[in-house]
Amino acid sequence: MATSFIRTPRQYEQDCHILHSYFSGNVGAISNKEVVGIFVNRDSNALKLIRQTYSHWYGQDLLQFVSNVQRNNSFARIAYLRMVDPYERDAQLMRHSLFGGSLNLNTLIEVACTRPSSELLQIKHCYQTQYKSDLEKDLTMKINGGFKEILVAVLRSCRNYGSKVDMSLAMCDAKTLYEALESGKNIDQRTIISVLSRRNNGQIRAILSSYKQLYGQELSKSVKRSKCGQFGKELQVVIRCIQHPEKFFAKQLRMKNADGREILIRTVVTRSRIDIKGINKAFATKTGSSLENLVVREFGSSKNKNNDIVVGILVGLIKGG
């Protein structure tokens, strides 16, 4: 849990001294517990002030330093994800998922469907600023099929981020979606996309809840039928992620991926203090084991001393919620 008291400049200097000793190789002067404590107990504002203080005292951009070595260093990756601005981080994740080699749909879905609409708007602005490009246009250019239309609709929905949840409207939209699925031999994809693009994420969750209340089953199950085709399968992935993000993340963590460590680190760091406890519960329900155990299995067996710190930070963030 983030520290609740106001830290003094002297305390930020002490944190910087610990980090500088560690990154300079003077590890005998500090303990692993001190390093772990910085990345577990400091909130985003405190970490920003630590970066500023570090730059003042040591003439080095701490974020840039860990960014340069994060590719093959799990601790540096954690440090980077903890210190970077969340909107900048998510814009980078989207960019890399689109242009970093092979297309990474799971990460695109993760960011688009688990961030609140207000944050999505900031992510789009940050993407535009960083890359001088429009996220929706880039996504349209790189993705084919139903996912393209569905994810663009979700990104466009963030324009309505300020709207409060309207249950009466949610009931009407649920009925509209039902008609789009049931009224003909084929589903009305255009209507479904229209609803997704005009409602923010909070309102979409209300629509999904209303749909189950009205028709006795989840919309995600309704779109599994053969008449819904590939579009239905892709829609199911997105709406399940919006409705139950903790289950989406738990499933990603259960999958055997080449980038399994990156997914584990990113999930714990980006979802700490949001829904990591729910993700842990969903993971345990399916596997009979906890995320803490997964972290220890993944990093605890290595002789790399950095991994002791990695385990300490990740387990600390999981326990802190």
Side-chain angles (χ1 to χ4, degrees):
M1 182 177 294
T3 47
S4 58
F5 56 87
I6 298 174
R7 296 179 61 78
T8 66
R10 176 61 181 165
Q11 288 167 317
Y12 290 123
E13 290 172 20
Q14 185 177 6
D15 286 345
C16 290
H17 172 72
I18 291 168
L19 292 175
H20 187 258
S21 295
Y22 177 83
F23 288 124
S24 300
N26 187 21
V27 293
I30 58 171
S31 68
N32 286 357
K33 185 177 179 180
E34 290 176 303
V35 178
V36 168
I38 292 171
F39 292 102
V40 171
N41 298 321
R42 311 296 182 258
D43 63 19
S44 58
N45 288 329
L47 289 170
K48 184 177 180 179
L49 289 170
I50 289 170
R51 283 179 56 195
Q52 293 173 353
T53 306
Y54 194 96
S55 177
H56 172 76
W57 280 101
Y58 301 107
Q60 186 175 34
D61 185 336
L62 184 57
L63 185 66
Q64 185 62 51
F65 174 76
V66 295
S67 176
N68 291 339
V69 298
Q70 66 176 317
R71 181 180 295 275
N72 298 308
N73 186 315
S74 295
F75 168 64
R77 180 60 174 159
I78 292 171
Y80 181 82
L81 290 174
R82 284 289 285 123
M83 289 191 294
V84 70
D85 174 82
Y87 305 138
E88 182 180 346
R89 173 201 71 204
D90 286 346
Q92 291 171 358
L93 288 173
M94 296 290 261
R95 182 72 175 186
H96 187 264
S97 298
L98 289 168
F99 297 101
S102 58
L103 183 70
N104 190 332
L105 267 173
N106 284 333
T107 302
L108 293 171
I109 293 168
E110 172 188 327
V111 175
C113 300
T114 67
R115 284 15 173 199
S117 293
S118 57
E119 292 184 10
L120 273 182
L121 189 65
Q122 295 300 322
I123 293 165
K124 287 170 65 177
H125 289 163
C126 191
Y127 187 97
Q128 177 73 46
T129 300
Q130 278 188 276
Y131 305 110
K132 303 297 185 288
S133 186
D134 182 82
L135 178 55
E136 290 178 20
K137 290 182 179 178
D138 285 350
L139 196 148
T140 301
M141 178 178 65
K142 297 291 290 185
I143 300 179
N144 298 315
F147 272 127
K148 175 171 68 176
E149 292 183 280
I150 296 165
L151 288 177
V152 169
V154 173
L155 289 176
R156 287 177 178 169
S157 73
C158 71
R159 292 174 297 187
N160 306 305
Y161 75 92
S163 306
K164 293 182 179 180
V165 172
D166 184 332
M167 292 309 299
S168 296
L169 180 60
M171 284 287 185
C172 291
D173 284 340
K175 293 175 182 178
T176 298
L177 290 176
Y178 182 82
E179 288 296 319
L181 292 171
E182 305 294 342
S183 61
K185 292 183 179 180
N186 300 309
I187 63 172
D188 183 352
Q189 295 184 19
R190 181 174 295 181
T191 295
I192 294 170
I193 292 297
S194 176
V195 171
L196 288 176
S197 66
R198 290 184 288 109
R199 307 290 183 247
N200 63 41
N201 281 3
Q203 188 67 30
I204 290 173
R205 282 190 287 273
I207 293 168
L208 297 174
S209 176
S210 297
Y211 188 97
K212 184 176 182 180
Q213 183 180 338
L214 287 169
Y215 305 111
Q217 71 173 356
E218 302 274 8
L219 176 63
S220 59
K221 292 184 178 180
S222 295
V223 300
K224 287 177 66 175
R225 294 168 300 169
S226 59
K227 69 178 289 186
C228 299
Q230 184 63 27
F231 177 84
K233 294 177 182 179
E234 293 164 346
L235 179 63
Q236 182 187 46
V237 172
V238 170
I239 59 180
R240 277 184 170 175
C241 186
I242 293 173
Q243 190 171 20
H244 303 293
E246 70 285 352
K247 293 181 180 179
F248 171 85
F249 284 108
K251 184 176 181 179
Q252 295 301 304
L253 291 166
R254 297 198 312 271
M255 296 171 66
K256 300 298 182 181
N257 292 313
D259 57 347
R261 284 192 169 190
E262 163 66 14
I263 293 172
L264 177 55
I265 288 171
R266 190 175 70 238
T267 299
V268 173
V269 173
T270 63
R271 306 310 291 184
S272 65
R273 306 188 182 101
I274 299 175
D275 57 1
I276 193 64
K277 287 189 181 295
I279 295 169
N280 200 358
K281 183 177 180 180
F283 183 83
T285 298
K286 289 291 186 179
T287 65
S289 184
S290 67
L291 289 183
E292 293 95 324
N293 289 337
L294 178 61
V295 168
V296 172
R297 288 199 305 271
E298 194 66 47
F299 296 103
S301 60
S302 172
K303 294 181 180 180
N304 187 335
K305 293 182 179 180
N306 277 346
N307 282 1
D308 291 338
I309 295 177
V310 169
V311 171
I313 296 172
L314 294 179
V315 170
L317 291 174
I318 294 167
K319 289 183 176 179

